Amino acid sequence: DRIILPYEERAKLAVNPVAKQLFSIMATKKSNLCLSVDLTSAVDILDLLEKVGEHVCLVKTHIDIIEDFSDNFVTQLKQLAQRYNFLILEDRKFADIGHTVSLQYSKGVYKIGEWADCVTSHSLPGDGILKALNNVMDCANRGVFLLAEMSSAGNLISSDYTEATVKMAAKYPEAILGFVCQNKKTFNEPGFIQLTPGVQLESSKDELGQVYNTPEKVILENGADVVVVGRGIVAAKSPETQAVIYKDTLWKCYMKRISG
Ligand code: S5P
């Protein structure tokens, strides 16, 4: 059962090197917290990461919401990642035909492939999307989280879709870090990582369909390995204090889970 294995053990079972690295960073930093820095100012993002970088294993960006994007932002982001030992996930949610996705990944203003350790992708278009990413990425230091489920109310993903997504990933194991999903039954492979968003300290929802579960629920019941928190930290009065609270709470749940 993957969910009772410690991250150190799962690092050894991961095929993709970035997945190995993420498991190792979690074990070293004692943090399974992914911060979703959904802010629109580059300066604000860098300020925030200066304060909370030491507490997170992964930083998730939506690069296309930043109003003052520049290559210098990317340089500084990479420096912070190095200094605080976290990885960068660009939450691009690719969803087009393979050819278009390979261009979206490597070209344009953002040149995602140059700086993001990993990206998110939908499986909707079929396995051409993974073939494209696999071709354009260097899987020695890049990888993909595939969306197998979503957190939002009323999303159209069915259990058949989820199952087919996991099967699709099995065709490109060297490119895949794991799945964005909500349920521990989604996959068994211990070398893959379960990335779970839709988390706050109290279960609740926002006014646009987002559904929040608690750390206990997502880690102990639902099998989350890395937990994505956005507004729970970013919109707090003191994001730094709140990041520590999330980090400690999430880690305690993980420790409880692996101790059986
Ligand atoms: O199913 C999903 C998948 C993702 S990647 N539900 C999500 O909410 N996300 C992302 O996680 C979403 O795009 C956002 O960046 C983050 C959740 O942010 P929060 O502020 O609701 O915690």
Side-chain angles (χ1 to χ4, degrees):
D1 198 351
R2 70 172 164 96
I3 71 165
I4 59 166
L5 277 182
Y7 297 142
E8 291 91 331
E9 293 304 313
R10 293 177 62 187
K12 295 177 199 157
L13 301 169
V15 175
N16 175 277
V18 185
K20 276 187 194 295
Q21 205 184 343
L22 185 52
F23 275 130
S24 303
I25 290 174
M26 289 197 276
T28 307
K29 293 178 79 173
K30 295 195 190 320
S31 174
N32 47 6
L33 171 61
C34 167
L35 179 65
S36 185
V37 282
D38 299 340
L39 298 170
T40 56
S41 145
V43 177
D44 289 350
I45 292 175
L46 296 170
D47 275 354
L48 177 62
L49 292 179
E50 198 61 78
K51 293 186 191 121
V52 305
E54 67 180 285
H55 304 300
V56 305
C57 61
L58 184 66
V59 166
K60 188 173 83 58
T61 54
H62 283 298
I63 203 68
D64 57 353
I65 68 173
I66 299 176
E67 297 191 317
D68 52 346
F69 173 85
S70 66
D71 292 342
N72 180 50
F73 167 73
V74 170
T75 306
Q76 289 184 264
L77 178 63
K78 290 301 273 182
Q79 282 169 359
L80 288 166
Q82 191 100 43
R83 183 170 344 137
Y84 294 117
N85 191 26
F86 60 76
L87 296 178
I88 301 167
L89 168 62
E90 164 54 23
D91 189 8
R92 176 62 180 76
K93 293 191 185 71
F94 294 109
D96 214 320
I97 58 165
H99 176 70
T100 300
V101 166
S102 61
L103 294 172
Q104 290 171 326
Y105 179 80
S106 46
K107 306 288 183 183
V109 175
Y110 303 118
K111 298 179 182 45
I112 294 165
E114 289 185 8
W115 51 269
D117 299 294
C118 44
V119 294
T120 54
S121 177
H122 283 293
S123 54
L124 180 76
D127 69 357
I129 196 166
L130 288 185
K131 190 172 183 191
L133 287 168
N134 190 51
N135 286 345
V136 78
M137 286 183 332
D138 176 359
C139 293
N141 53 26
R142 295 287 183 263
V144 179
F145 277 105
L146 209 50
L147 273 103
E149 287 173 326
M150 289 197 73
S151 61
S152 44
N155 74 76
L156 301 180
I157 295 179
S158 66
S159 53
D160 286 350
Y161 180 104
T162 301
E163 209 177 295
T165 300
V166 173
K167 280 204 184 116
M168 189 189 288
K171 285 189 175 177
Y172 295 92
E174 60 291 332
I176 305 290
L177 276 84
F179 300 95
V180 180
C181 67
Q182 296 289 323
N183 197 315
K184 71 175 167 192
K185 294 209 179 84
T186 300
F187 68 98
N188 300 315
E189 182 53 61
F192 284 150
I193 299 171
Q194 177 174 336
L195 186 82
T196 300
V199 179
Q200 287 202 358
L201 296 173
E202 310 283 331
S203 32
S204 60
K205 44 184 77 145
D206 76 4
E207 62 292 347
L208 297 173
Q210 176 70 300
V211 178
Y212 293 113
N213 290 305
T214 62
E216 289 75 15
K217 173 127 198 243
V218 296
I219 293 180
L220 294 165
E221 285 176 44
N222 297 356
D225 296 314
V226 179
V227 171
V228 177
V229 181
R231 284 164 286 176
I233 291 172
V234 172
K237 264 196 208 115
S238 166
E240 196 177 356
T241 310
Q242 205 65 3
V244 175
I245 293 173
Y246 272 95
K247 173 197 169 183
D248 291 344
T249 307
L250 294 168
W251 191 256
K252 240 182 250 163
C253 292
Y254 159 72
M255 291 301 284
K256 190 169 172 189
R257 184 173 94 186
I258 60 166
S259 65

